[in-house]
Amino acid sequence: MRIVSVESSVVSLPFDMGGPYARFAGKLWDRLEILLVRVETEDGLVGWGEAFGHAAIPATRAALDTIVAPLVIGKHAGDISALTRSVLHSTHLLGRNGSYVYAWSGIEIALWDLLGKRAGLPVHQLLGNGSRTQLEAYSSLLAYGDAEIAARNTRAAADRGFRYVKLHETTRDALVRSKEAVQGRDVQIMMDVNCAWDVPDALDMAQSMCGDGMYWFEEPVWPPEDAQGLARVRACGIPIAAGENVAGLQGFRTLLEAGAIDIAQPSVTKIGGIGDTMRVAALCAANGVRVVPHSPYFGPGFIATLHIGAALPQPPLIEVLWMDMEANPFAPYVHAVDGMLNVPQGPGLGCDPDAEVMSRYRVGDVHRITEEASV
């Protein structure tokens, strides 16, 4: 079936993060915004996707509405691999990592939703696994810049049934105090510093924490492309996780060839969608590297991550941001209960958005690209 329209819209959801709101890319982050992509085919079937995201939404949406969506109007919705090649080749001069790839990711996820709905199968069965119904989550705390708040929320996450908690702090004190907060309990602590340090400083930090039992150390090196530098930090002995900022399959190949990572973290709304995430997973499996997708989302990108996780040979932990939202159009699948997430079993993504919640929290206009509009 031909694609007849692509729509973009944004919902903005109030949330409580268990501490003071932080600034993200220069903006106060006090509302969770989701850039939704709606793709419709000529028979009226609709698929939903999510494009990255957060403070990048204005740029991603502009790329989606003006360049990427017009490239797919009139094309066959089921030919996802061919469209991936065509769209990413058509936009490669505009950047191999960034708004255009993010925009395509949103459309690509929606195409998988359409494919599953047309086949009457959940996406995870299309990807090769039909039996997994639950996945374990880990609680991904937000950045507080305060070891006491980090420790308090680590304890609170453990009280809610999470056995894995990730900090977004940059001090050993935060790690130690968080571990003390759950001492005697079966809880593992990870730390994501979001590329905070150059290699010498990252080495110093890794060496200071190598005996602290960190479950993994995420993106310790700036810039994230420095695979050789990351490999030097890995040699300190703490398992290294990275990949959310990698440009496609070849970017992961560079990390693997450098021996830089123990855990690969492809991000479905950033890397090009479900197909490219699965290609990364296959490459990592062939190189003996574990895949734990990056998923700080609460829309179709998160739901797609559940299907990817259900289809992988070894079930990964699924990242859930530590926040209490006022509402979410994709509830209940975005919420963990006792540290576990349910995988939708309906056709496609198996979780269309709640129209009333969408209407209540939508900000701005719905942008609709059709054949007439894209001429």
Side-chain angles (χ1 to χ4, degrees):
M1 287 289 174
R2 293 171 58 252
I3 298 168
V4 296
S5 71
V6 177
E7 291 182 4
S8 68
S9 61
V10 177
V11 292
S12 182
L13 309 171
F15 68 89
D16 184 330
M17 59 180 276
Y21 293 114
R23 301 192 74 82
F24 181 73
K27 294 176 61 178
L28 184 67
W29 194 28
D30 60 352
R31 297 177 74 88
L32 180 73
E33 294 189 336
I34 306 172
L35 176 53
L36 293 166
V37 182
R38 180 185 184 275
V39 177
E40 185 173 349
T41 53
E42 57 190 322
D43 61 346
L45 198 61
V46 169
W48 290 92
E50 177 182 353
F52 191 82
H54 301 299
I57 281 177
T60 302
R61 194 177 191 188
L64 174 68
D65 292 345
T66 63
I67 301 291
V68 180
L71 288 172
V72 305
I73 298 296
K75 300 298 193 298
H76 194 285
D79 203 357
I80 300 175
S81 293
L83 276 175
T84 296
R85 173 67 167 82
S86 173
V87 170
L88 294 184
H89 184 263
S90 295
T91 60
H92 79 279
L93 293 176
L94 308 177
R96 288 285 296 127
N97 191 11
S99 298
Y100 297 94
V101 183
Y102 303 167
W104 167 245
S105 299
I107 293 176
E108 200 263 9
I109 292 167
L111 295 179
W112 278 96
D113 189 24
L114 282 166
L115 189 66
K117 287 173 176 174
R118 204 172 298 285
L121 294 170
V123 166
H124 64 264
Q125 287 192 15
L126 297 179
L127 298 174
N129 187 306
S131 60
R132 207 170 285 149
T133 60
Q134 282 195 321
L135 293 165
E136 185 163 9
Y138 73 86
S139 180
S140 185
L141 307 188
L142 277 70
Y144 311 111
D146 186 307
E148 182 179 349
I149 297 175
R152 184 179 71 224
N153 283 321
T154 296
R155 185 185 305 111
D159 289 342
R160 289 198 196 175
F162 289 98
R163 298 191 306 127
Y164 300 85
V165 179
K166 185 166 78 178
L167 310 178
H168 282 87
E169 306 295 329
T170 56
T171 67
R172 180 173 181 264
D173 184 43
L175 173 66
V176 171
R177 292 179 69 172
S178 294
K179 287 180 68 66
E180 289 173 347
V182 292
Q183 189 171 5
R185 302 170 71 170
D186 182 21
V187 177
Q188 298 287 339
I189 308 293
M190 307 88 107
M191 180 179 282
D192 180 359
V193 299
N194 294 118
C195 307
W197 307 300
D198 60 14
V199 172
D201 286 341
L203 285 167
D204 287 344
M205 290 301 298
Q207 288 162 359
S208 75
M209 296 185 289
C210 66
D212 292 325
M214 197 189 312
Y215 191 68
W216 76 56
F217 197 16
E218 188 168 332
E219 290 200 315
V221 168
W222 173 262
E225 306 93 282
D226 187 357
Q228 296 296 329
L230 194 59
R232 290 174 61 194
V233 176
R234 181 177 177 240
C236 294
I238 304 172
I240 295 295
E244 68 175 275
N245 292 305
V246 162
L249 185 71
Q250 299 305 320
F252 276 95
R253 190 185 303 278
T254 298
L255 289 175
L256 294 169
E257 289 176 349
I261 57 174
D262 300 277
I263 297 105
Q265 297 175 302
S267 188
V268 71
T269 71
K270 299 176 78 174
I271 199 168
I274 292 171
D276 274 351
T277 301
M278 295 302 292
R279 283 184 273 276
V280 167
L283 175 67
C284 291
N287 285 270
V289 169
R290 180 181 171 197
V291 175
V292 179
H294 175 254
S295 61
Y297 317 123
F298 284 95
F302 184 84
I303 306 300
T305 302
L306 292 177
H307 285 278
I308 290 165
L312 292 176
Q314 297 298 318
L317 294 170
I318 303 295
E319 181 177 18
V320 177
L321 286 183
W322 177 253
M323 55 173 60
D324 290 319
M325 289 173 289
E326 187 172 287
N328 188 293
F330 294 90
Y333 292 105
V334 294
H335 302 304
V337 178
D338 294 328
M340 300 299 293
L341 292 156
N342 291 322
V343 179
Q345 300 299 309
L349 293 179
C351 184
D352 279 357
D354 182 297
E356 188 278 326
V357 176
M358 287 271 289
S359 176
R360 190 178 357 140
Y361 292 97
R362 184 179 291 121
V363 291
D365 297 329
V366 176
H367 299 173
R368 189 167 191 260
I369 309 303
T370 64
E371 196 160 18
E372 293 76 15
S374 62
V375 173

